[in-house]
Amino acid sequence: MLNKKAILILIFGIVSLLFSWVPGAGLVLAIFTLCLYAVNKTVRSDIKSEIGRTLAIIAILVSICSLFYVIVLMPLPGNNAPAWLLSLRSAITNTAFYSDFENNFIAEGRYIYLLKGLGVTFEVTFLAVLLGIVLGVIVALVRSSYDTLKDELRGGFGKGVLAFFYKLCGIYLTVIRGTPVVVQLMIIYFVIFATSNNKIMVAVLAFGINSGAYVAEIIRGGIMSIDKGQFEAGRSLGFGYVRTMTFIIIPQAFKAVLPALANEFIVLIKETSVSGYVGLQELTKGGDIIRSRTYSAFMPLIAVAVIYLLIVMFFSWLVSLLERRLKNSER
Amino acid sequence: MNADNDVIISVKDLKKYYNGGEVKALDGVTTDIRKGEVVVVIGPSGSGKSTFLRSLNLLERPTGGTITFEGNDIMAPSTDINKLRQKMGMVFQHFNLFPHLTILRNMTIAPMKLNGLSKEDANAKAMDLLARVGLEDRALAYPSQLSGGQKQRIAIVRALAMDPEVMLFDEPTSALDPEMVGEVLDVMKKLAEAGMTMVCVTHEMGFAREVGTRVIFMDCGRIIEENTPEQIFTNPQNERLQSFLQKVL
Ligand SMILES: Nc1ncnc2c1ncn2[C@@H]1O[C@H](COP(=O)(O)OP(=O)(O)OP(=O)(O)O)[C@@H](O)[C@H]1O
Ligand SMILES: [Mg+2]
């Protein structure tokens, strides 16, 4: 049965990830899982088998690391280590590639720069996305409510206030989208918070404020994509503008833009790589520090690129799952 | 004619212009809607039927004229338009059910949030209404899982859940497959028999004839002729009405 095979692949994916730290075992299991996936074309539409496949791919990456550790790094009991392992180890460690690798990542624990940098990158991205969504929702609501309400509110204090915020949001969007994010980042660091040295806060602010402008447009697009009839149905039942938005329009709009918001997160992961301009040690800066220590550019920069690529591929895959789920739930 | 105090909605010289007067969607409409009446509005496409109907609950803001509901000017700044709309149920051509909510929630959200009904009361009332249209087994389904005819029946009972005094229908069967028209018209007919005051824009002449108490024929933003269905269909006076009926009958 179609479903059973998909579940089988999922189980094998989980198991191979669990055993990926055992040199060899995880690798074999993971490759077996991938073969199962490749052979059974019919299960590809099933989300379970896709998750299994992705877990297997992750398991392969982990397995390679564990194999690498055992073959190259693990301290061996000097006298009774198997001869084949020793010769394999020296075959690897004698290559120029390995010594370059060793120099850049292992010597003096330099890989820590990448690990810590990755942590900072995630921290900044995550907080900036949250800030961006908050700002974006506010700006989108101000702008679309002004558009709808400007005919309904006839003058008066409320309309004046709304018009003021509408203009303010317009300026925000124009300025933020009209200037490079690096410049915004430097202005916030060197001008606005010149006295503070909290680089993470500065980066979160800069990227959050920047992302808010794009999120605002995403959300406004989502609100506008909702059929006008939904709004009219809400109003004709007796809901006021705010309640119609809260109960009827925004839940639907949010669902419609969820994949786009998740994409914004992916974009921000890459965008934060310019934080080095204000000296924040995120992933890119981590690689750059290694480069400045070892004077070799290839290894650290390629490593940084590969890490970004893997992360982006993983999150893009999550977004595609999300999109499919949303589409299925619509029917 | 009935006494004046039976009038629920009174429309005087209603005008709605678009593009600075270039398009006159409504060009001076005057009529009264009385309690228990089933007023059927007919007319060619673009004659202003929807605009007229949608002006009654201010989904469109008229350019001129007055509308009073139970004696109150609905365009007066002091009128709470949301309160007013709760008394006028509206059914749309394209149903406009809330796709993110279950059928039950579609029907209980307004009574709970606006009338402060408890969840139990709102649910009980909704189930009662669903039973009346034979859809109680679909309470937990989502709108996308229903047929067009079922959706429209739900849209009708969703409006009824607010206990409106008037029901407005804008071509409720026009988006339906022919085999589903009957089930929706049946619901409307029962509603009329129960004494609901209704204003229906429709192309269903059979319904107009059988259920309507009065037919309004509109063209070019004006009421051209209004009379009992009997008179409209058997003895039309205006030649535009005559040619319209020739086309649709
Ligand atoms: N937003 C608008 N802007 C400009 N013109 C409009 C607008 N809405 C309606 N109209 C015009 O007003 C006139 C009346 O439209 P209305 O929708 O009331 O007609 P209708 O009788 O309901 O027609 P139908 O049977 O096609 O639904 C039409 O000429 C239409 O083009
Ligand atoms: Mg119409």
Side-chain angles (χ1 to χ4, degrees):
Chain A
M1 277 260 334
L2 192 139
N3 228 357
K4 273 186 190 156
K5 279 183 186 161
I7 292 174
L8 197 68
I9 292 176
L10 177 61
I11 291 173
F12 265 100
I14 295 171
V15 170
S16 49
L17 190 58
L18 285 178
F19 282 91
S20 57
W21 56 273
V22 182
L27 199 60
V28 171
L29 278 169
I31 290 175
F32 179 71
T33 311
L34 288 185
C35 290
L36 264 187
Y37 180 82
V39 171
N40 294 298
K41 292 204 170 72
T42 46
V43 301
R44 291 208 188 144
S45 54
D46 197 314
I47 269 178
K48 291 189 277 306
S49 65
E50 269 221 27
I51 295 176
R53 180 201 60 167
T54 304
L55 291 179
I57 292 175
I58 297 173
I60 286 184
L61 294 176
V62 179
S63 298
I64 289 174
C65 293
S66 71
L67 266 181
F68 175 81
Y69 177 76
V70 169
I71 295 173
V72 181
L73 297 178
M74 190 171 72
L76 294 173
N79 38 16
N80 54 8
W84 63 268
L85 184 56
L86 287 174
S87 55
L88 184 61
R89 179 174 284 197
S90 62
I92 292 175
T93 51
N94 285 340
T95 57
F97 184 85
Y98 178 75
S99 60
D100 201 10
F101 183 89
E102 204 271 343
N103 183 31
N104 277 296
F105 303 125
I106 298 168
E108 296 175 26
R110 291 195 174 118
Y111 68 94
I112 290 289
Y113 288 116
L114 296 183
L115 268 190
K116 279 196 175 156
L118 185 60
V120 172
T121 290
F122 271 126
E123 187 182 350
V124 169
T125 305
F126 187 71
L127 294 176
V129 159
L130 287 187
L131 178 61
I133 287 178
V134 170
L135 280 176
V137 167
I138 293 173
V139 171
L141 282 181
V142 167
R143 285 179 66 83
S144 50
S145 53
Y146 181 79
D147 284 341
T148 357
L149 287 178
K150 64 174 184 270
D151 298 327
E152 196 168 320
L153 297 169
R154 311 184 135 181
F157 181 70
K159 189 176 183 180
V161 172
L162 192 57
F164 170 75
F165 281 109
Y166 179 80
K167 286 263 155 57
L168 199 67
C169 292
I171 294 171
Y172 164 70
L173 292 178
T174 312
V175 170
I176 293 300
R177 294 193 298 168
T179 53
V181 65
V182 184
V183 177
Q184 294 163 18
L185 176 71
M186 292 203 291
I187 289 176
I188 292 183
Y189 184 67
F190 293 111
V191 181
I192 299 176
F193 287 102
T195 51
S196 160
N197 203 29
N198 188 342
K199 289 170 180 161
I200 290 196
M201 180 201 69
V202 166
V204 167
L205 276 180
F207 291 106
I209 291 172
N210 181 270
S211 157
Y214 296 92
V215 170
E217 292 303 277
I218 292 173
I219 290 185
R220 195 155 86 112
I223 291 174
M224 286 194 307
S225 77
I226 303 303
D227 180 20
K228 221 176 111 234
Q230 291 291 310
F231 191 79
E232 290 182 346
R235 294 307 298 266
S236 75
L237 282 171
F239 286 116
Y241 175 81
V242 175
R243 288 176 172 212
T244 305
M245 291 302 276
T246 339
F247 300 137
I248 292 153
I249 307 298
I250 294 179
Q252 294 183 57
F254 200 72
K255 202 173 143 188
V257 302
L258 210 50
L261 286 182
N263 262 323
E264 182 64 19
F265 176 75
I266 293 174
V267 168
L268 263 189
I269 289 177
K270 290 178 285 172
E271 240 174 36
T272 54
S273 68
V274 298
S275 303
Y277 270 94
V278 297
L280 180 69
Q281 294 190 11
E282 38 66 67
L283 179 57
T284 305
K285 185 74 178 174
D288 201 44
I289 291 174
I290 297 178
R291 184 189 61 77
S292 68
R293 300 275 153 84
T294 61
Y295 299 109
S296 74
F298 178 82
M299 277 284 174
L301 294 185
I302 294 295
V304 166
V306 167
I307 294 173
Y308 276 118
L309 184 64
L310 290 177
I311 292 168
V312 168
M313 280 169 67
F314 179 71
F315 281 104
S316 302
W317 174 76
L318 283 186
V319 171
S320 77
L321 286 192
L322 180 71
E323 257 170 344
R324 229 186 304 162
R325 258 209 86 108
L326 290 177
K327 212 171 271 163
N328 286 348
S329 74
E330 254 161 41
R331 260 183 312 149
Chain B
M1 285 284 157
N2 294 336
D4 229 24
N5 56 12
D6 273 357
V7 172
I8 296 189
I9 305 176
S10 175
V11 180
K12 285 205 180 60
D13 198 28
L14 192 66
K15 295 190 171 98
K16 174 71 180 180
Y17 297 165
Y18 288 108
N19 306 337
E22 205 179 293
V23 180
K24 296 183 174 168
L26 291 179
D27 194 15
V29 170
T30 302
T31 192
D32 285 342
I33 310 230
R34 291 176 192 78
K35 203 161 172 48
E37 265 194 312
V38 178
V39 178
V40 178
V41 184
I42 60 174
S45 180
S47 54
K49 307 180 296 293
S50 296
T51 312
F52 169 65
L53 197 72
R54 292 158 55 83
S55 298
L56 297 182
N57 67 353
L58 287 195
L59 280 185
E60 305 284 352
R61 220 163 235 290
T63 316
T66 57
I67 303 172
T68 56
F69 182 84
E70 295 177 333
N72 304 312
D73 176 4
I74 68 169
M75 284 177 276
S78 57
T79 305
D80 182 347
I81 185 61
N82 298 326
K83 274 262 145 31
L84 189 94
R85 284 184 181 135
Q86 293 174 27
K87 298 184 189 168
M88 294 198 239
M90 187 159 206
V91 176
F92 302 85
Q93 183 175 353
H94 295 286
F95 331 125
N96 297 350
L97 296 180
F98 306 132
H100 61 302
L101 303 176
T102 60
I103 299 308
L104 195 63
R105 193 73 186 126
N106 261 276
M107 295 176 63
T108 56
I109 184 165
M112 281 169 66
K113 306 276 184 193
L114 295 170
N115 291 349
L117 246 61
S118 71
K119 187 171 178 174
E120 292 70 38
D121 291 350
N123 282 352
K125 185 174 189 181
M127 291 311 293
D128 207 40
L129 283 163
L130 281 174
R132 272 167 60 182
V133 294
L135 288 171
E136 61 270 57
D137 55 332
R138 308 314 308 272
L140 297 179
Y142 282 86
S144 59
Q145 298 166 320
L146 301 186
S147 74
Q150 293 176 326
K151 281 183 201 166
Q152 196 60 299
R153 286 187 275 159
I154 298 296
I156 294 171
V157 286
R158 176 178 71 177
L160 289 178
M162 289 299 287
D163 297 322
E165 292 177 24
V166 184
M167 285 286 286
L168 311 174
F169 294 84
D170 192 357
E171 302 199 23
T173 57
S174 296
L176 297 177
D177 292 337
E179 74 268 22
M180 296 174 179
V181 169
E183 61 192 63
V184 172
L185 291 181
D186 278 349
V187 170
M188 292 170 64
K189 190 176 164 193
K190 272 195 211 146
L191 197 56
E193 282 163 359
M196 176 61 75
T197 312
M198 295 162 59
V199 185
C200 316
V201 175
T202 182
H203 294 298
E204 296 295 330
M205 296 302 151
F207 175 84
R209 212 169 185 155
E210 196 188 338
V211 184
T213 57
R214 177 158 55 110
V215 175
I216 292 179
F217 172 69
M218 288 184 71
D219 196 11
C220 302
R222 290 164 185 270
I223 294 180
I224 305 294
E225 197 165 328
E226 75 177 292
N227 215 326
T228 59
E230 171 80 11
Q231 284 296 313
I232 289 273
F233 289 108
T234 56
N235 188 19
Q237 301 297 310
N238 189 285
E239 68 185 64
R240 277 191 269 177
L241 174 57
Q242 288 161 2
S243 73
F244 174 78
L245 289 176
Q246 252 164 28
K247 274 181 243 159
V248 298
L249 287 180

